[in-house]
């Protein structure tokens, strides 16, 4: 398993809100499907994958849709020893309004959040244990999504946050859960910093799983009343996650490699357009497209218009039979013509294991002949 190094902060916030946003994203994609797949494909834009790393924008003038509930919930929390630690906007990718709290007496955090597009207003209470696990007591309903092994989730979605006694019930349940356990105090850290670390930890768990799973898509679909999703529709929901994960790791490897090789800016600029990064979360479709382009472009004397399609089919078969993505790529390199080989330039092990190749140099003189 890829090892991810974390700064020792409270990676305990944002878990439920992230799961909610993923659930909302899947629902959006499923609702975009029509009876005709071509029409569904044309409608896939509009909402992107939740970011693998999140940014919060401080905003002390948030306009809450349910301002009365926000006010009563805040007052109830303050009476229990919580104090406001910041209000924020985030676009992940839909607009989320957040009001964070700290409670040094637990110690732990609370989060009020509102997602307009999902008509959602929820409250989470969170604490981290000394073994790195987290306990979350939330008013958010079950969403059908999987949870990481480091998180224990208690849902109390029957509670009415307009009733102060119901907020007290949520708090008392947390007290029951942490009784006799060692709770780690991170309340000296900024709310924003703790939230972002939590988001990163949960997203890294998602990356390890390859994004969202077929089972998750099917469970959310069933909740929406659809149990007849085709394999192609399921893959359409999963594919954007694979692409986003591939791009994210590409950029992490690129930055690490640039730093470790100590190349000058001029040296990097000369080769940056030829850099091709491969890792075990690479988007296979993108690799196949890149190599098929290289192979079909290199065969100057073949007038077969189907060369690209035949090469693509061959590469798909090769990757399907490979032990891993990198194994498939290594085998695919053998198909390249001698004058169009990719050369291994280096590799990385942290934070992600990957290989950095240089694609064949672009022949400007040859291009001018066409």
């Amino acid at each position: 398993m890829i090892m991810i190094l974390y700064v020792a902060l409270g990676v305990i916030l944002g878990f439920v809100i992230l799961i909610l946003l993923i659930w909302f994203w899947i629902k959006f994609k499923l609702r975009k499907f029509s009876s005709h797949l071509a029409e569904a494909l044309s409608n896939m834009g509009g909402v992107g994958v939740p970011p693998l790393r999140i940014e919060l924008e401080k905003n002390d003038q948030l306009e809450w849709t349910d301002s009365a509930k926000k006010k009563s919930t805040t007052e109830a929390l303050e009476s229990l020893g919580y104090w406001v630690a910041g209000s924020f906007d985030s676009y992940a990718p839909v607009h989320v309004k957040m009001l964070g709290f700290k409670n040094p007496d637990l110690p732990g955090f609370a989060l009020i959040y509102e997602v307009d597009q999902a008509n959602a207003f929820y409250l989470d209470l969170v604490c981290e244990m000394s073994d790195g696990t987290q306990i979350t007591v939330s008013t958010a309903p079950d969403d059908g999504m999987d949870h990481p092994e480091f998180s224990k989730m208690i849902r109390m979605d029957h509670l009415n946050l307009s009733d102060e006694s119901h907020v007290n019930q949520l708090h008392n349940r947390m007290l029951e859960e942490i009784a006799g356990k060692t709770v780690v105090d991170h309340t000296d850290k900024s709310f924003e910093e703790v939230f972002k670390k939590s988001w990163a930890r949960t997203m890294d768990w998602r990356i390890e799983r390859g994004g969202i799973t077929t089972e998750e898509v099917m469970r959310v679909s069933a909740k929406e009343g659809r149990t007849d999703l085709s394999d192609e529709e399921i893959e359409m929901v999963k594919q954007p996650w694979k692409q986003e994960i591939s791009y994210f790791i590409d950029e992490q490897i690129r930055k690490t490699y640039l730093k470790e090789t100590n190349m000058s800016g001029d040296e990097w600029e000369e080769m940056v357009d030829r850099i091709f990064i491969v890792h075990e979360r690479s988007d296979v479709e993108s690799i196949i497209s890149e190599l098929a382009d290289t192979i079909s472009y290199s065969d100057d004397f073949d007038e077969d218009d189907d060369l690209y399609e035949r090469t693509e089919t061959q590469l798909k078969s090769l990757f399907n039979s490979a032990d891993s993505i990198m194994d498939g790529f290594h085998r695919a390199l053998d198909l390249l013509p001698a004058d169009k080989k990719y050369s291994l330039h280096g590799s990385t092990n942290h934070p992600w294991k990957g290989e950095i190749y240089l694609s064949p140099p672009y022949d400007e003189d040859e291009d001018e002949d066409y």
Side-chain angles (χ1 to χ4, degrees):
M1 178 178 291
I2 298 173
M3 298 301 295
I4 308 297
L5 300 179
Y6 296 100
V7 178
L9 290 172
V11 283
I12 56 178
L13 283 168
F15 169 67
V16 181
I17 192 171
L18 173 54
I19 295 298
L20 176 69
L21 290 173
I22 296 172
W23 167 78
F24 173 74
W25 184 87
I26 295 175
K27 284 181 61 176
F28 175 86
K29 292 301 184 187
L30 292 175
R31 288 176 178 177
K32 283 291 183 181
F33 292 144
S34 67
S35 59
H36 297 91
L37 187 57
E39 181 181 344
L41 284 167
S42 69
N43 289 330
M44 286 296 285
V47 175
V49 172
L52 301 182
R53 295 295 183 265
I54 196 170
E55 295 297 328
L56 304 183
E57 299 177 11
K58 291 184 178 180
N59 185 352
D60 295 329
Q61 305 298 323
L62 288 177
E63 296 183 3
W64 296 80
T65 302
D66 196 335
S67 57
K69 184 179 290 186
K70 175 261 180 183
K71 182 176 183 293
S72 62
T73 305
T74 298
E75 291 174 349
L77 287 171
E78 289 176 336
S79 70
L80 292 168
Y82 296 84
W83 50 273
V84 174
S87 57
F88 307 90
D89 280 309
S90 185
Y91 296 86
V94 296
H95 183 207
V96 183
K97 289 167 280 192
M98 292 179 279
L99 184 61
F101 298 79
K102 296 180 181 181
N103 187 337
D105 295 331
L106 273 176
F109 296 82
L111 176 65
I112 296 174
Y113 53 100
E114 187 175 67
V115 185
D116 293 338
Q117 289 91 331
N119 192 29
F121 184 102
Y122 301 125
L123 169 63
D124 298 343
L125 306 182
V126 289
C127 291
E128 183 184 4
M129 304 299 103
S130 58
D131 62 359
T133 59
Q134 66 185 46
I135 297 175
T136 303
V137 184
S138 175
T139 61
D142 184 22
D143 42 41
M145 303 300 296
D146 293 335
H147 301 159
E149 63 281 355
F150 54 78
S151 175
K152 179 179 180 180
M153 170 67 62
I154 298 100
R155 297 187 183 275
M156 302 181 71
D157 55 316
H158 63 284
L159 297 180
N160 177 9
L161 293 177
S162 298
D163 187 331
E164 181 179 353
S165 67
H166 285 204
V167 178
N168 292 343
Q169 288 183 45
L170 203 72
H171 177 72
N172 289 336
R173 179 58 185 273
M174 176 61 83
L175 292 177
E176 293 175 8
E177 290 294 330
I178 65 175
K181 299 182 175 70
T182 302
V183 182
V184 181
D185 186 1
H186 292 295
T187 56
D188 59 326
K189 307 294 192 301
S190 74
F191 180 92
E192 182 178 7
E193 191 174 13
V194 172
F195 186 96
K196 290 167 69 173
K197 289 294 178 182
S198 172
W199 187 281
R201 184 189 188 189
T202 304
M203 274 302 193
D204 284 338
W205 174 78
R206 280 266 159 208
I207 290 172
E208 288 284 355
R209 307 174 90 226
I212 54 178
T213 66
T214 296
E215 292 73 21
E216 286 177 312
V217 176
M218 293 177 67
R219 286 198 297 268
V220 174
S221 177
K223 286 179 176 289
E224 290 293 290
R226 283 206 57 186
T227 58
D228 59 344
L229 285 182
S230 67
D231 291 343
E232 193 168 5
E233 287 175 319
I234 292 173
E235 188 58 32
M236 285 170 60
V237 178
K238 294 169 61 178
Q239 184 59 27
W241 279 85
K242 296 178 182 179
Q243 293 172 338
E244 186 70 14
I245 289 170
S246 178
Y247 175 77
F248 173 78
I249 297 178
D250 282 355
E251 290 305 301
Q252 294 289 306
I253 291 176
R254 196 187 313 273
K255 291 176 182 178
T256 300
Y257 189 64
L258 176 59
K259 182 178 180 180
E260 291 180 349
T261 53
N262 295 317
M263 283 187 289
S264 68
D266 290 341
E267 289 174 320
W268 181 256
E269 188 172 346
E270 288 180 6
M271 60 181 288
V272 65
D273 290 337
R274 294 176 55 203
I275 288 289
F276 192 79
I277 297 171
V278 183
H279 47 81
E280 288 304 338
R281 292 300 178 192
S282 289
D283 178 33
V284 174
E285 289 188 6
S286 297
I287 294 177
I288 290 174
S289 177
E290 170 82 11
L291 295 180
D293 275 338
T294 300
I295 292 172
S296 58
Y297 175 76
S298 69
D299 196 340
D300 298 333
F301 304 101
D302 193 334
E303 298 179 356
D304 186 350
D305 293 335
D306 294 330
L307 176 59
Y308 180 93
E309 287 76 11
R310 289 189 287 108
T311 302
E312 184 181 45
T313 299
Q314 183 181 13
L315 288 169
K316 286 181 179 179
S317 176
L318 186 152
F319 273 94
N320 287 337
S321 64
D323 294 332
S324 66
I325 291 177
M326 294 181 73
D327 173 56
F329 182 76
H330 296 157
R331 291 167 57 187
L333 292 181
D334 294 335
L335 302 178
L336 294 171
D339 61 337
K340 295 294 182 179
K341 293 292 187 183
Y342 283 60
S343 58
L344 180 63
H345 196 266
S347 62
T348 60
N349 288 311
H350 300 287
W352 307 97
K353 183 178 180 180
E355 294 178 345
I356 298 90
Y357 289 83
L358 288 183
S359 63
Y362 182 67
D363 191 338
E364 295 183 359
D365 292 335
E366 180 179 297
D367 184 63
E368 290 174 357
D369 293 336
Y370 287 89

